[in-house]
Amino acid sequence: MSSRYEGMTAKDADDLMVGIIGLLVSEAMEEARAMTQEEWDVRDSAYLPHYFASAIFYTVQNRLRDAP
């Protein structure tokens, strides 16, 4: 199994990692913006911070594990 970072320079791999995190954040923000006030009010307030923290953690861990 090849790494998505395979063959990249460290700078290119870092740029890709930042881009992946940016896409995850954009996707979550788009979902939040599409919610009604009622949906937002009943949403678990810890969900988004936990989602962002987990996504960033795993993205960084994958980057470190597959570092060029």
Side-chain angles (χ1 to χ4, degrees):
M1 184 170 151
S2 67
S3 159
R4 69 173 63 188
Y5 302 107
E6 190 174 312
M8 292 184 160
T9 66
K11 182 188 178 328
D12 289 342
D14 287 346
D15 289 346
L16 175 59
M17 180 187 67
V18 170
I20 291 168
I21 292 170
L23 289 172
L24 292 169
V25 170
S26 293
E27 182 179 292
M29 289 175 61
E30 183 177 327
E31 179 185 344
R33 285 185 183 127
M35 295 175 120
T36 65
Q37 185 63 48
E38 183 177 305
E39 290 170 326
W40 183 257
D41 290 343
V42 297
R43 182 130 199 200
D44 178 7
S45 63
Y47 171 78
L48 280 179
H50 180 21
Y51 171 81
F52 289 131
S54 296
I56 291 168
F57 172 81
Y58 287 112
T59 301
V60 171
Q61 287 299 311
N62 288 337
R63 167 69 179 95
L64 292 173
R65 186 173 39 255
D66 298 329

